Amino acid sequence: MLNGLMWAGLIAMAGAVFLSSSWMGGGYISEADEAVAEERRARKRQRMRWAMWCLVVSIVMFALALLVYNLR
């Protein structure tokens, strides 16, 4: 169980890093095309929300792993 919680925490942490990376939304946008720029900003905000949720999940998983370890 301890290994499963640690792996879940690590995977959630990697998901948060991947979602918040520049690889997910790179590319050049002309400043003249404001609609495209606004759409990309909206997608980035959504990705950041998902990244924050992944970070919260990873913290919870690590806390549960610590709790399980200390109760053994």
Side-chain angles (χ1 to χ4, degrees):
M1 180 166 180
L2 185 62
N3 278 338
L5 290 171
M6 292 298 290
W7 274 107
L10 286 172
I11 290 169
M13 184 71 70
V17 169
F18 183 68
L19 285 170
S20 64
S21 71
S22 63
W23 290 353
M24 289 294 292
Y28 177 75
I29 301 174
S30 173
E31 290 185 23
D33 198 356
E34 187 61 34
V36 173
E38 182 58 36
E39 180 185 341
R40 282 217 177 156
R41 282 192 289 271
R43 282 188 295 180
K44 184 172 183 174
R45 280 192 299 270
Q46 182 63 33
R47 277 196 330 269
M48 288 302 144
R49 281 189 209 114
W50 279 103
M52 290 305 292
W53 275 110
C54 285
L55 186 62
V56 168
V57 167
S58 70
I59 290 170
V60 168
M61 289 298 142
F62 288 139
L64 285 174
L66 185 64
L67 183 69
V68 167
Y69 180 76
N70 284 328
L71 291 179
R72 281 176 114 190

